[in-house]
Amino acid sequence: MLKRLIDEKREIDEVYAVGPIIMMKVIANLTRPYRIHTVVSLNPIMVDGTGMCGSCRVIVDGKTKFGCVDGPEFDGHKVDFENLTARNRRYLTEEQIALKRFTGAK
Amino acid sequence: MAEGKKKKKTKIVPKKYPMPEQNPKERVKNFDEVPLGQDGETAILEAKRCLQCKPSPNRKICKDGCPVEIDIPAFIKQVQEGDFAGAMKTVRDKQNLPAVCGRVCPYENQCEGMCVLGKKNEPVGIGRLERFLADWERNEQKHGKIELPPPTGKKVAVVGGGPAGLTVAGDLAKQGHKVTLFEALQYSGGVLVYGIPEFRLPKEIVRAEVDFIRRSGVEMRNDHVVGKLDTVDELLQEYDAVFVGTGAGLPNWTNLEGENLNGILSANEFLTRVNLMKAFNFPEYDTPIRVGKTVVTLGGGNVAMDCARTSLRLGAEESIILYRRSDAELPARREEVHHAKEEGVRFELLAAPVRYIGDDEGNVKQVEAVRMRLGEPDDSGRRRPIKIEGSNFIVDCQTVLIAIGQSPNPLVPMTTPDLKTTKWGTIAVDAEGRTSKKGVFAGGDISTGAATVILAMGDGKRAAKAMHKYLTEDASWPAPEVFEKAAC
C-alpha cells in the first residue's frame, strides 16, 4: 500500500510507523531508498519508565538511547532493529509462563 | 554486681555488645534481613558504655559527626535510664527516617567515627541504638498519635520521594506548611525502595517510615513524573515554593563493545526488578529476572555489594566482583564488604572490563578483562589504576551487572530552562539549597552528585530550614551571579 503510494509519486513528506518491531523495520527499509523521513514508535522492555534503569536502551544512530525518556519516537532509518529484536526476546520464556498463568492454559 | 551509686569510675566495656545475625549459609537462600536487631536489655547495656562526653570546642564528639545533628549524648542517656519513648522523641526531633538510618548510615565515618570511647576501644554502637529505638517504637508504640501544628497557609511542592524529599516534606509539614510530594514510582522512598535490597532494609520498614510522614500531613502523589506530566514552572503557579530532590538515578555505563548484549544490566535495572517489582517472586509478581550460573558485577561500592549478594540469593552459583582498584580502595562500607565475603562473593580486584563477548543469539557469554596496578594518587586522592598491557583474561558468565555509579537525573533540569546546572549535570545551589530560580530549592543527589542516604537527608534538613525562612520571613533571593560561578 505504502509502496503503491510512493510509486504513484504522491508527495509524502513524512511516514509514521507504529506497530510490531518487524513492521516498523520493514516500513523503514521501504522508505529508506526514497529518503522519506520515517518516525517509528519503539516498544523496548521498560521497567520504571523514568530513565532510571536502561532496560529500554536502543541503539539509534550508533548511540545508546533510552526508549522511555529519549523516545519512544525515533528516526526509523537510524534505529538498530536487530539489536532491538534480540533485546525484546530477553524474557520470552518468562512471558510465556506469565501468559499461561493469566489465561489458565496448561 | 555491687554498683555503688557514688562510684565514679565505671569499668569500660571495650567491645560493642554483639548484634545477632543470620548465618551466612542460611541467609544466601533468603531475602530476610541479615542483622536481627537487639533487645532492650542489650540496648541499655550498650548505652551504658557511653562516657557522656560534654561538647567542647577543643574536641569533636559523636554528635558533631551527625549530618542531621541528632543530640546523640542526650538520647543515649535516656536509653541508659530505660526511657525509650523519651529517647525516641530526642531522635525524632532531628531525624525523619530513624529505622532507615539505624540500618544504612555509614556510622563508622560519622557519629561512631567521632566517638571518644572509640579511640582506644570499639565505639558505642550508636547506629544499632538508633535502630533499636525505631524498631521498638514501630512495634510497641505504633508511632502514637501525631500532633499537627496550626496551618500556615503556605503550599509547598516536593519533587522526588527519596531521602531528601521525604526529609523536606516531613520537616515542612511539622511547621504547618501544606506539603504535596510528587513521586514517579508507585511507592515513595526512592532508593530506599528500588535500590537497597530487602536483606539490608526491609521494605515494610520503609513503608512504616513513609506512612509516618504521610500522617504528619504530607499529601503523597505517586506515579507522577514531574518533567513529563507537568513542569516545575507549572508547579510554581500553584505552590509558594518547590523542592527538587530527584536524585542520581541515571546509570553510568562502561561504553565498551557489546554493552547492549542481553544479560548485561545496569545495577538500577537489576535492583529495581528485584526490590521494587519483586522479581524474586516471579511468577507471583509479573516482572521477571534472570541470573546466570555466574554473575559478574562491575564496581566496588555499596550498590555493587548489593548486586553481588542479591545474585547469590537469586540462585547464582558464582558471584564475582570485578573492581579496578584494590581491597583498601573499595568504596563500599566495610560491613558490606565483610557480609559479601562471608556469603561467598568472589573479589576479582585490580581488574577492569575491556569488552563483552556474546553468543549467536545476542546473549553475553564472557567478559574480557585486564589486570591493573595502582599508580600515583589522582584528583580524588585515591591511587590511579593503570592497565598492565597484555594481561587480558576472560571470565565466563551469563549475567553482567554494571554498578559503576549514577549521574543526576536530567529530567527536571531538561524541562526547566532557567535552572542552572553544573558541568556534572547537578543543579547549582547555594549553601541554603536555593537554586538560580526564585522559589525553587534543590538537595540530595541531584545537587551533590551520588552520595549517601544520610547526606541527602542532611541536605534536605538545610533546605527545609531555608524554605521555612523563605515562606515566613524573608523572601529575598541571591543574585544570579552566585549560580553562574557554581554552574561554570
Side-chain angles (χ1 to χ4, degrees):
Chain A
M1 173 76 178
L2 179 64
K3 181 92 174 80
R4 203 181 73 215
L5 291 177
I6 296 172
D7 287 342
E8 284 172 7
K9 303 248 181 300
R10 302 254 189 124
E11 214 165 281
I12 301 173
D13 293 326
E14 195 159 39
V15 172
Y16 287 86
V18 182
I21 297 173
I22 181 75
M23 167 262 197
M24 295 188 282
K25 177 177 153 183
V26 169
I27 301 261
N29 285 343
L30 194 144
T31 56
R32 186 176 283 116
Y34 304 96
R35 296 171 184 242
I36 304 171
H37 188 235
T38 300
V39 176
V40 291
S41 183
L42 303 184
N43 58 340
I45 300 174
M46 297 183 192
V47 180
D48 60 283
T50 64
M52 208 177 72
C53 80
S55 169
C56 64
R57 58 197 196 273
V58 289
I59 304 174
V60 181
D61 207 9
K63 292 189 192 82
T64 297
K65 297 272 176 194
F66 287 2
C68 65
V69 288
D70 299 326
E73 289 82 21
F74 292 101
D75 182 339
H77 294 159
K78 292 179 177 163
V79 170
D80 180 342
F81 281 104
E82 307 308 318
N83 181 259
L84 178 60
T85 310
R87 285 190 63 76
N88 265 25
R89 294 175 62 85
R90 272 178 293 163
Y91 290 105
L92 218 52
T93 325
E94 289 82 354
E95 282 164 10
Q96 276 156 1
I97 295 170
L99 183 66
K100 271 188 193 155
R101 259 175 78 90
F102 183 69
T103 58
K106 293 256 158 62
Chain B
M1 195 163 60
E3 214 173 347
K5 267 186 188 167
K6 298 279 182 224
K7 201 172 159 190
K8 272 254 164 83
K9 191 114 178 145
T10 31
K11 202 165 170 244
I12 285 176
V13 182
K15 282 194 184 299
K16 290 181 188 175
Y17 286 86
M19 166 70 93
E21 285 182 352
Q22 265 203 84
N23 176 305
K25 285 211 170 66
E26 278 308 309
R27 72 187 191 227
V28 289
K29 296 181 209 147
N30 66 50
F31 276 85
D32 299 339
E33 196 173 9
V34 170
L36 300 168
Q38 293 173 318
D39 58 17
E41 236 170 275
T42 317
I44 293 174
L45 285 173
E46 184 67 43
K48 285 190 172 158
R49 294 182 60 228
C50 172
L51 305 171
Q52 285 290 310
C53 308
K54 296 277 170 290
S56 107
N58 304 325
R59 71 163 175 204
K60 294 213 181 289
I61 63 165
C62 51
K63 71 181 199 182
D64 298 305
C66 179
V68 297
E69 301 165 3
I70 297 173
D71 190 346
I72 297 168
F75 95 71
I76 293 185
K77 182 140 205 330
Q78 287 163 309
V79 175
Q80 288 176 350
E81 292 159 357
D83 176 14
F84 299 150
M88 196 53 203
K89 204 160 172 279
T90 307
V91 173
R92 279 230 179 260
D93 190 38
K94 299 282 183 183
Q95 164 67 284
N96 291 312
L97 305 167
V100 171
C101 289
R103 288 174 163 81
V104 302
C105 252
Y107 340 102
E108 60 279 11
N109 308 328
Q110 300 172 4
C111 50
E112 293 186 15
M114 303 259 179
C115 175
V116 175
L117 183 66
K119 288 196 172 126
K120 287 191 180 146
N121 305 282
E122 278 188 22
V124 177
I126 301 168
R128 15 181 106 165
L129 285 176
E130 185 182 23
R131 169 184 163 152
F132 164 76
L133 286 171
D135 290 353
W136 172 83
E137 181 196 56
R138 199 174 58 257
N139 297 327
E140 304 286 319
Q141 276 217 322
K142 313 284 181 221
H143 282 330
K145 201 169 175 287
I146 304 166
E147 276 171 46
L148 299 180
T152 60
K154 299 285 182 188
K155 289 172 74 183
V156 179
V158 173
V159 184
L166 286 172
T167 301
V168 170
D171 275 11
L172 290 179
K174 261 189 222 169
Q175 300 179 84
H177 304 299
K178 173 102 194 66
V179 182
T180 308
L181 190 145
F182 297 92
E183 163 58 45
L185 301 176
Q186 63 270 49
Y187 304 114
S188 297
V191 72
L192 308 176
V193 289
Y194 75 75
I196 303 179
E198 188 75 20
F199 55 83
R200 224 153 53 82
L201 179 62
K203 299 311 140 208
E204 186 203 318
I205 285 163
V206 181
R207 257 198 304 281
E209 302 254 43
V210 168
D211 195 50
F212 186 89
I213 290 170
R214 183 182 289 121
R215 289 198 295 134
S216 318
V218 174
E219 185 201 344
M220 304 228 177
R221 285 204 208 152
N222 289 89
D223 298 315
H224 188 121
V225 186
V226 173
K228 284 282 174 192
L229 281 177
D230 45 20
T231 61
V232 167
D233 287 284
E234 282 163 348
L235 290 178
L236 271 178
Q237 288 169 13
E238 203 187 320
Y239 297 90
D240 300 297
V242 175
F243 175 81
V244 181
T246 46
L250 188 72
N252 292 345
W253 300 98
T254 55
N255 295 317
L256 298 172
E257 181 193 324
E259 195 161 40
N260 288 333
L261 286 165
N262 289 343
I264 304 182
L265 291 74
S266 74
N268 271 0
E269 177 182 352
F270 179 70
L271 293 173
T272 301
R273 279 179 185 270
V274 179
N275 299 328
L276 180 75
M277 307 306 289
K278 312 270 179 239
F280 60 84
N281 216 346
F282 179 85
E284 284 306 312
Y285 285 81
D286 279 334
T287 303
I289 188 78
R290 204 183 274 175
V291 294
K293 258 165 64 180
T294 304
V295 178
V296 171
T297 303
L298 308 177
N302 289 324
V303 176
M305 302 304 137
D306 287 347
C307 285
R309 297 172 68 195
T310 299
S311 302
L312 289 174
R313 284 162 173 78
L314 290 171
E317 287 170 21
E318 199 176 18
S319 180
I320 305 170
I321 292 244
L322 204 70
Y323 177 61
R324 58 190 185 143
R325 290 184 167 98
S326 74
D327 190 88
E329 287 84 19
L330 281 168
R333 291 182 58 205
R334 279 335 283 188
E335 188 184 322
E336 303 305 328
V337 176
H338 169 71
H339 278 151
K341 284 183 179 167
E342 265 186 352
E343 290 169 14
V345 173
R346 198 178 110 200
F347 284 72
E348 191 69 70
L349 300 165
L350 288 164
V354 178
R355 69 182 173 122
Y356 310 99
I357 302 162
D359 64 13
D360 296 339
E361 283 163 28
N363 302 310
V364 67
K365 62 170 188 182
Q366 289 169 328
V367 177
E368 182 179 333
V370 62
R371 300 275 171 210
M372 312 291 271
R373 64 183 172 82
L374 292 179
E376 295 299 306
D378 62 11
D379 296 342
S380 73
R382 295 181 300 177
R383 293 175 63 192
R384 189 194 303 273
I386 302 168
K387 251 184 224 171
I388 303 175
E389 292 302 334
S391 67
N392 293 33
F393 62 103
I394 298 276
V395 185
D396 291 326
C397 60
Q398 299 77 40
T399 308
V400 178
L401 305 173
I402 301 179
I404 56 168
Q406 285 94 236
S407 298
N409 193 317
L411 216 48
V412 166
M414 241 161 48
T415 51
T416 317
D418 44 356
L419 204 57
K420 290 246 159 24
T421 51
T422 67
K423 63 180 171 187
W424 300 280
T426 54
I427 296 177
V429 290
D430 70 359
E432 301 194 344
R434 294 181 291 195
T435 69
S436 58
K437 195 173 174 70
K438 190 170 191 296
V440 180
F441 298 73
D445 284 2
I446 190 65
S447 64
T448 58
T452 60
V453 169
I454 187 73
L455 287 176
M457 293 181 57
D459 237 28
K461 279 239 130 23
R462 269 190 300 282
K465 218 187 238 172
M467 289 175 85
H468 180 66
K469 193 173 122 205
Y470 171 77
L471 292 166
T472 55
E473 313 167 15
D474 174 14
S476 63
W477 205 261
E481 295 87 70
V482 175
F483 304 102
E484 294 293 344
K485 223 175 171 186
C488 58

